[in-house]
Structure formats: structure tokens, C-alpha cells
Amino acid sequence: MSTNDQIKVQPNELEMRHDSFWKMADRVSAMSEQERLKRINSGFEVVWLSSTKSAFEVDASVIGDLANLSVRTISTREKDNSPLDLTTSERLDRLAYLAVLARSVFECSSAAKEWMVAPNESLGGAAPFHLCKTELGGRQARRALLAIEWGGVV
């Protein structure tokens, strides 16, 4: 078989979306606050929703709840490839920032993912993922994460 006849091996879509969330989250976390604000105001790309869904292994309704969008609206936005609104972009920015911090604390993406989606007693039984819907919830989750990192009281 010649090299022209060989089949190119592509990573599966789930792997690409999982990787893309972490890559996008790394880029956002490396930005200055001014750059992040500019990105939030211009609207995150709609691919953030499917990438987040895949990376955290949650269903479409959970992403819809985070984004404050119906599953049908998400599907329409994906087809149109239209940018996300300010509120959804800010929530995804908060989630990305917390996820990257969690990966740093737990030293791997899979442990960070598990911490993000698991109910947490120190957070009133809420999962950090869900707390990223609000700025106050995101701060509570960040505080709990930093307590884990430094061995302090949550």
C-alpha cells in the first residue's frame, strides 16, 4: 500500500472536544483581565458549549442550565455558529478559570473534572461546575479549591 493509499487516522470527535475545552481554557486563563473582558464582551465561540459538555461528560440540559439556554436554542446557535451572549460567555470564562485552577491543584485534568462535577459538602452539596453560574458561586468554589490546595478550613 502506498503512502497515498493509507488512511489518515483522526482523533475521535469526543477526544477533540475534550482537548479543545482544556486548550481554550488554558488560553483564557493566560489572558489579562482586560483581554478576558474583551473576549466576554465580543462573545465566546459557540464551540465552547459542546467542548464543555464533552470535557465534563454532562448532558445537554446541564450545559443549557449553565448557559441559560434551551437545548433547542443551543442546537440553533451551533448550526448558525453565532457567538454566545455576554452572560453565557462570562459563565464559561468563570468555569474555564476555575477548571484550570482545579487542574493545577489536582495535577491532572481528570481529577479536576471529577472535583468540578461532584457534589461538594463544603459548598452546601453543590458541584463547583454548577456554582459557576454566578460570580458569588464561582468565588465560593474557588475559595474551597484554594483551601484544598493550602490545607486550610473551607
Side-chain angles (χ1 to χ4, degrees):
M1 181 189 280
S2 73
T3 54
N4 291 341
D5 296 332
Q6 291 177 346
I7 299 172
K8 292 182 180 178
V9 177
Q10 301 273 338
N12 71 39
E13 187 175 335
L14 181 63
E15 288 173 358
M16 287 172 41
R17 287 183 178 173
H18 176 78
D19 286 343
S20 65
F21 170 82
W22 292 104
K23 287 177 183 176
M24 291 185 302
D26 285 336
R27 282 193 301 271
V28 165
S29 294
M31 292 178 179
S32 70
E33 286 185 351
Q34 287 298 325
E35 292 170 321
R36 287 173 57 205
L37 283 170
K38 186 176 179 181
R39 284 285 313 275
I40 290 167
N41 285 321
S42 65
F44 276 33
E45 300 85 1
V46 72
V47 70
W48 273 88
L49 298 176
S50 57
S51 296
T52 302
K53 178 181 178 285
S54 295
F56 291 97
E57 298 176 7
V58 295
D59 64 23
S61 65
V62 172
I63 295 300
D65 184 50
L66 176 71
N68 199 30
L69 298 170
S70 71
V71 174
R72 185 179 174 112
T73 300
I74 291 171
S75 178
T76 301
R77 292 249 176 115
E78 288 175 334
K79 287 176 188 168
D80 297 343
N81 200 30
S82 57
L84 300 170
D85 64 23
L86 179 105
T87 302
T88 303
S89 297
E90 184 176 21
R91 289 175 177 188
L92 289 166
D93 175 83
R94 190 178 301 119
L95 180 75
Y97 192 82
L98 186 65
V100 170
L101 181 59
R103 187 182 58 197
S104 174
V105 169
F106 296 114
E107 300 179 350
C108 77
S109 299
S110 61
K113 178 200 77 111
E114 291 302 319
W115 182 82
M116 292 287 295
V117 298
N120 189 309
E121 190 176 311
S122 67
L123 297 170
F129 182 95
H130 297 289
L131 290 176
C132 288
K133 289 191 291 187
T134 65
E135 202 251 317
L136 182 58
R139 277 190 296 182
Q140 289 176 339
R142 184 173 182 272
R143 194 168 40 247
L145 187 56
L146 292 174
I148 291 168
E149 181 178 31
W150 295 101
V153 177
V154 180

